[in-house]
Amino acid sequence: MIHLDVTIMGQPYRLACKEEEERALREAAAFLDKKMTAIRDAGKIKGNDRIAVMAALGMAAEFLSAKAPQGPLSDMSMLDVQQKIAAMHKVLDSALTPQEILF
């Protein structure tokens, strides 16, 4: 484990991570700082906790709407994929439930 110092919206944070994760964590912190700073600078939302929640919601929405660049799932968003997987789990659960009685 290594420790690294990052700054998000002017606040310093000391984080621990594996050495091979350092670059990704620094990039994530910089991305979050950019999002939170933009929300703060827009002046419509006050309070760091509210700014953090709005940034997290925006990032979650971006993540869930992201699509793979190519491949069998490239026409689906992450949210679509999650919903398809949940539907498959339901089908599997209903098909396997009667099997539990046999054991």
Side-chain angles (χ1 to χ4, degrees):
M1 275 301 198
I2 62 168
H3 290 91
L4 60 130
D5 297 310
V6 298
T7 302
I8 300 172
M9 234 175 56
Q11 282 291 115
Y13 294 91
R14 185 170 193 92
L15 308 172
C17 68
K18 296 176 184 172
E19 192 169 340
E20 62 271 13
E21 296 172 347
E22 178 182 2
R23 185 174 142 248
L25 188 55
R26 284 191 187 280
E27 288 177 9
F31 184 73
L32 179 60
D33 178 57
K34 181 180 172 184
K35 292 286 186 181
M36 288 181 66
T37 300
I39 292 168
R40 180 198 64 203
D41 292 348
K44 296 178 182 175
I45 298 173
K46 302 290 183 208
N48 290 350
D49 57 337
R50 291 179 181 264
I51 291 170
V53 168
M54 294 307 295
L57 285 171
M59 291 165 54
E62 286 176 31
F63 172 75
L64 291 173
S65 65
K67 295 182 180 181
Q70 53 185 265
L73 303 177
S74 62
D75 62 331
M76 298 174 69
S77 70
M78 289 296 295
L79 183 57
D80 293 335
V81 171
Q82 287 179 333
Q83 290 171 341
K84 288 271 191 205
I85 291 171
M88 286 187 271
H89 277 274
K90 282 185 178 181
V91 169
L92 288 171
D93 286 344
S94 65
L96 294 175
T97 299
Q99 299 292 324
E100 292 176 2
I101 298 169
L102 299 176
F103 300 106

